[in-house]
Amino acid sequence: MALTDLPLRVVLYEGPGATPLATDDRFAAVRSLLEGGFGVTRSGAARPVPPVDASPLLVLGRWDGATPVTESDTRLRWGALDTATVTAQAEATRAEFGAPATGPWKPWFPVIDYDRCTNCMQCLSFCLFGVYGVDDAKRIQVQNNDNCKTNCPACSRVCPEAAIMFPKYKSGPINGDSVSDSDLNREKMKIDISALLGGDVYSMLRTRSERATSRFSKERDADKALAERQKCLTKLAALTSDIPPEVLMSLPSPDEIARRATEAAAKGRAALAAQSN
Amino acid sequence: MNPPPSGAPSIIYCHCQYAQVVPPDVKAAVLRQLCDSGLPFEAVPDLCELSARRDPSLRRLTSAGPVKIAACFPRAVKWLFAAANAPLPLDCAEVLNMRVQSADEVAAGLISPVLNPNVPLGKVTAADAPAPAPAPAS
């Protein structure tokens, strides 16, 4: 990531040379900046704050004298704090530095709990949208957040270990709440994706080290596989009531689903084969 | 900025700006009490958004040593940081959960100088976590 991709950091300065803010003003300024998508540091001596890095800085305060001035070729700007216009001040500085804007995308994407993940590749095999991939060590990882369908937690439903979280989901354990045995035993946490893949996936997983190379090698009828995947998605929607209709409606064409499913299965097969080597 | 007292935990507040999963009255009350306390703190619009972008500033947030974070579930917060290749210091990080705790509980926990580490201990370390995924195209 280039330096220009670092977000603007706004610092509320209340130390020597500046008049401390009234608490109402401090609250108003911080809340306004946060709602505008800006991170804020309220500095002081009583507790540490994260150190300066290469992020562009806008330092705002109620200065006792003139507002400090810095050379224009630095990534630091000073300003006089006005709670009514603080977000506009920050936005102008963000634009000047070319720092990234945030929002309004809802950050919806899977977060893997590697304490629980067994690297079984079911999520990779299930996802039609290429969200998952593997790293150089053939470990599952989230690679394409932006491909994830907002409000759809389907992949977390197929994870046998409840290792996939969506922190903005409404309920546990998908939202990151602790996982109980009953969660794992709950039928809705154990959507059997074997129907999608045309085989007894769970059985195969139990013996995957021996059978990894042949797991996906069976010939399958493409039409049947597609019908079964669609059936599974319908079942998911019925069981969980939380697969947004727009997600189901936005699924690719049947041919495209078949192509992506083949691709995802191949990635899963390759990753499992690599594990067994 | 003056050097901080040795060992005092830094404070991070997440506003969960891009979803309404944290009750608005709770996060407003926590932020209000934080501002009233006069303590220094770092406030971010949305930790999920920073993690999704694998924002390098997450590493800055974890680099100040002991830390208290007001956000959501500790398990989620742990892995949000790890996903951005900025693992939390598990032995000196405390996560206060604005989804389930009251505003007073969260604020009191943040303001107290006593640290109660509660991030799930597991196998994650910088070495255990998978190689960072490539940054998403902007």
Side-chain angles (χ1 to χ4, degrees):
Chain A
M1 183 175 283
L3 287 182
T4 51
D5 291 328
L6 287 164
L8 177 70
R9 180 184 185 187
V10 181
V11 178
L12 294 189
Y13 180 80
E14 300 183 58
T19 302
L21 302 176
T23 56
D24 283 351
D25 286 350
R26 188 182 299 138
F27 174 70
V30 174
R31 185 162 72 170
S32 178
L33 287 164
L34 290 172
E35 291 176 352
F38 296 99
V40 187
T41 300
R42 193 264 161 173
S43 68
R47 295 281 184 95
V49 292
V52 171
D53 61 4
S55 301
L57 289 177
L58 171 61
V59 183
L60 298 173
R62 293 206 167 131
W63 311 106
D64 293 340
T67 300
V69 177
T70 50
E71 299 297 326
S72 60
D73 60 352
T74 65
R75 290 167 63 81
L76 166 66
R77 296 291 178 271
W78 303 82
L81 176 65
D82 177 347
T83 54
T85 61
V86 66
T87 304
Q89 285 177 281
E91 180 55 36
T93 308
R94 185 201 67 74
E96 179 191 352
F97 285 128
T102 57
W105 173 64
K106 180 178 180 179
W108 181 270
F109 59 102
V111 178
I112 299 173
D113 178 345
Y114 287 98
D115 287 342
R116 305 194 62 85
C117 176
T118 60
N119 217 32
C120 71
M121 304 294 165
Q122 293 214 38
C123 50
L124 186 151
S125 300
F126 178 79
C127 179
L128 287 173
F129 303 104
V131 172
Y132 295 94
V134 294
D135 65 13
D136 291 342
K138 305 301 178 190
R139 289 195 63 184
I140 189 73
Q141 66 175 183
V142 178
Q143 289 188 338
N144 298 297
N145 294 326
D146 293 350
N147 289 2
C148 196
K149 301 301 175 189
T150 300
N151 296 330
C152 175
C155 59
S156 67
R157 300 289 187 193
V158 303
C159 176
E161 299 295 337
I164 297 175
M165 298 175 282
F166 287 86
K168 296 197 184 304
Y169 188 68
K170 60 190 174 188
S171 58
I174 294 173
N175 62 10
D177 201 353
S178 52
V179 181
S180 66
D181 288 344
S182 60
D183 289 324
L184 293 176
N185 292 331
R186 229 184 288 164
E187 182 61 26
K188 68 179 180 179
M189 295 299 300
K190 290 192 161 193
I191 302 300
D192 185 348
I193 66 167
S194 62
L196 289 129
L197 300 175
D200 183 353
V201 171
Y202 288 103
S203 172
M204 289 181 187
L205 288 172
R206 282 193 292 272
T207 56
R208 68 186 183 196
S209 60
E210 303 93 60
R211 301 180 59 186
T213 55
S214 62
R215 179 180 167 203
F216 291 90
S217 64
K218 295 175 184 173
E219 291 294 327
R220 298 190 191 93
D221 181 295
D223 290 339
K224 183 181 177 187
L226 174 59
E228 287 171 340
R229 181 178 284 270
Q230 289 171 328
K231 182 180 173 184
C232 183
L233 284 168
T234 304
K235 181 182 174 187
L236 271 171
L239 277 173
T240 64
S241 303
D242 59 7
I243 309 295
E246 58 269 27
V247 171
L248 296 176
M249 293 298 290
S250 69
L251 286 172
S253 68
D255 285 349
E256 181 65 8
I257 287 178
R259 187 188 70 75
R260 293 189 194 184
T262 302
E263 200 172 271
K267 287 167 75 175
R269 178 181 64 230
L272 286 173
Q275 286 177 46
S276 65
N277 290 334
Chain B
M1 296 175 199
N2 295 322
S6 176
S10 59
I11 297 172
I12 298 171
Y13 164 86
C14 172
H15 200 55
C16 195
Q17 174 66 14
Y18 303 120
Q20 298 301 319
V21 295
V22 171
D25 57 332
V26 172
K27 63 182 184 183
V30 170
L31 183 60
R32 162 63 76 175
Q33 292 187 54
L34 200 50
C35 289
D36 290 349
S37 75
L39 290 171
F41 60 88
E42 185 86 10
V44 298
D46 197 304
L47 275 177
C48 287
E49 203 254 355
L50 293 176
S51 178
R53 292 197 293 116
R54 301 182 184 96
D55 195 310
S57 62
L58 282 176
R59 269 189 261 184
R60 175 174 60 80
L61 295 178
T62 61
S63 66
V67 61
K68 295 189 177 202
I69 303 171
C72 54
F73 291 97
R75 188 167 74 100
V77 173
K78 170 183 177 176
W79 293 107
L80 281 169
F81 275 87
N85 200 30
L88 286 171
L90 300 184
D91 58 341
C92 57
E94 178 179 356
V95 177
L96 296 135
N97 187 345
M98 293 190 288
R99 291 185 73 160
V100 299
Q101 292 180 272
S102 71
D104 287 346
E105 284 176 321
V106 173
L110 287 178
I111 292 166
S112 167
V114 178
L115 184 78
N116 297 301
N118 67 343
V119 178
L121 296 176
K123 60 189 174 184
V124 66
T125 67
D128 289 331
S138 55

